[in-house]
Amino acid sequence: MHFLDDSLLPENQQPLIIQVAPYGPEFLPSDSDDIPVSMDAQIQKAVDCYNAGATVLHVHVREEDGKGAKRLSKFNEMLARLREAVPEMVLQVGGSISFAPEGEGAAAKWLNDDTRHMLAELNPRPDQVTLAINTNQMNICELLSADDVAGTSLAEPAYQAAYSEMTIPSGPSFVEEHLRRLQANGIQPHFMLGDAGQLETVERLIRRGVYTGPLVLNWVAIGGGADGPNPYTMLEFARRVPDGAVLTIESLMRHVLPLNTMAIAMGLHVRVGIEDNLWGRKGERITSVQQVEQMVRIARELHRDVATGRDARRIYGIGTHYESADQTLAKLGYPPNRKAGQRGVPVRGAA
């Protein structure tokens, strides 16, 4: 992304999109008073987050016993009720469905490819499904301190061992087939990228015409196989992202607030919620709604507008598709593909 002399002035920035992930699938209901379990409570949490200022909802679903739901019928029920309760929100289903351990010491693992492909068949369909790129380690415990997990199941050795060994199964064949199915059903992929190498893979998918649409992505700075919460790394990742993309900053625990504050000032977008962070000040819990309210306050202090649901859909390009790789590259601000016999770096608009 390029930053012009006036890029940090709020009147030249897009309204701030606040993503919220309020369902915390890696935690048990006993870990926090802010984990909704009943369907009514899960829907109410979405309403509360929307009223606080969030316009993108990262959806996971729990069964009535508190375990993470793996039944697509449960997701269909949730999506139908969300469409009625928060019709303006962008509904973004977590592509893992749920990776909560079934019991003490059970492996934390994602569902198989066939099941994850079925996310493209959800009814009503979500606006987005998140998509990780390249099979990779996802050790969500690597950056966590004893303070971070105090009072939660992640302080237990068995659970910590399970989540430390978790991997993201997202190889080339899965990604290409998943993109095909999502696009065929009018669902936008939301790319969850942990480093610049994964961004390069997405660019190659675009150049080959595998994906033709808006580039909406999170930089997922959680360590353990992804970038860590280092400002220099964040800035370098932003520099590598094309100008036509939409970039949201995501991290974990108390790293979320400082990185998001920088993101708001830079004209980027933010993600909050108990899936990522439980803490305000050290040792003080903060709810998902409070985290959304905090982002709204910081945006107002910087005089940056906060996106409405309509703004979020426009900025994300929900429902937008491009006809070809060439059109997609042009819309995103990437250089065009090289023509046969062309030497040097291809330049947009060059004959």
Side-chain angles (χ1 to χ4, degrees), residues 39 43 46 57 59 61 72-87 91 93 122-127:
M39 182 59 71
I43 300 302
L57 181 69
V59 178
V61 187
L72 293 178
S73 61
K74 197 73 172 177
F75 278 78
N76 289 335
E77 178 187 356
M78 177 90 154
L79 289 168
R81 291 194 56 179
L82 287 170
R83 286 294 185 209
E84 293 183 0
V86 284
L91 301 184
V93 170
L122 288 170
N123 183 27
R125 68 188 183 196
D127 299 296

Side-chain angles (χ1 to χ4, degrees), residues 4-276:
L4 307 178
D5 287 343
D6 59 0
S7 290
L8 298 184
L9 302 180
E11 64 269 22
N12 297 322
Q13 297 173 339
Q14 292 275 22
L16 172 69
I17 297 175
I18 302 174
Q19 291 178 31
V20 64
Y23 300 116
E26 74 273 32
F27 294 114
L28 301 179
S30 58
D31 291 339
S32 170
D33 293 336
D34 194 38
I35 294 178
V37 173
S38 71
M39 182 59 71
D40 286 348
Q42 292 176 82
I43 300 302
Q44 186 61 50
K45 183 52 60 71
V47 172
D48 294 343
C49 289
Y50 176 73
N51 289 338
T55 47
V56 178
L57 181 69
H58 185 71
V59 178
H60 291 279
V61 187
R62 288 187 189 267
E63 300 283 1
E64 294 294 331
D65 63 2
K67 292 180 179 177
K70 296 176 174 64
R71 293 185 296 138
L72 293 178
S73 61
K74 197 73 172 177
F75 278 78
N76 289 335
E77 178 187 356
M78 177 90 154
L79 289 168
R81 291 194 56 179
L82 287 170
R83 286 294 185 209
E84 293 183 0
V86 284
E88 295 297 317
M89 286 192 100
V90 173
L91 301 184
Q92 174 194 99
V93 170
S96 63
I97 303 183
S98 176
F99 46 79
E102 289 291 332
E104 184 176 356
K109 59 184 180 181
W110 292 24
L111 299 187
N112 62 36
D113 288 358
D114 289 338
T115 303
R116 288 192 290 156
H117 284 321
M118 292 174 68
L119 291 176
E121 308 297 329
L122 288 170
N123 183 27
R125 68 188 183 196
D127 299 296
Q128 296 182 315
V129 168
T130 62
L131 179 60
I133 296 293
N134 299 333
T135 297
N136 202 26
Q137 189 72 40
M138 190 180 177
N139 173 7
I140 64 172
C141 297
E142 184 176 270
L143 285 175
L144 298 181
S145 68
D147 290 331
D148 290 330
V149 298
T152 77
S153 56
L154 284 180
E156 298 296 325
Y159 281 96
Q160 211 166 99
Y163 280 109
S164 295
E165 295 295 333
M166 187 165 61
T167 57
I168 304 170
S170 197
S173 60
F174 166 75
V175 168
E176 293 197 19
E177 177 63 16
H178 206 52
L179 284 171
R180 185 190 68 77
R181 295 192 191 194
L182 291 176
Q183 291 176 101
N185 286 284
I187 299 172
Q188 184 183 83
H190 191 118
F191 295 97
M192 309 297 272
L193 305 182
D195 58 49
Q198 294 170 14
L199 177 62
E200 290 176 355
T201 294
V202 173
E203 180 182 349
R204 294 180 190 114
L205 291 166
I206 292 168
R207 290 192 177 280
R208 288 165 37 215
V210 175
Y211 176 63
T212 51
L215 180 53
V216 184
L217 56 94
N218 281 21
W219 177 60
V220 185
I222 61 173
D227 285 337
N230 187 313
Y232 289 109
T233 311
M234 180 181 112
L235 292 170
E236 174 59 18
F237 188 91
R239 188 184 71 81
R240 300 283 296 274
V241 171
D243 292 322
V246 182
L247 175 58
T248 294
I249 301 303
E250 175 183 344
S251 191
L252 81 172
M253 296 304 183
R254 289 190 298 126
H255 303 288
V256 170
L257 177 58
L259 289 179
N260 277 351
T261 300
M262 287 185 277
I264 294 172
M266 292 171 62
L268 308 178
H269 305 281
V270 299
R271 169 168 147 154
V272 296
I274 61 166
E275 183 171 333
D276 304 335

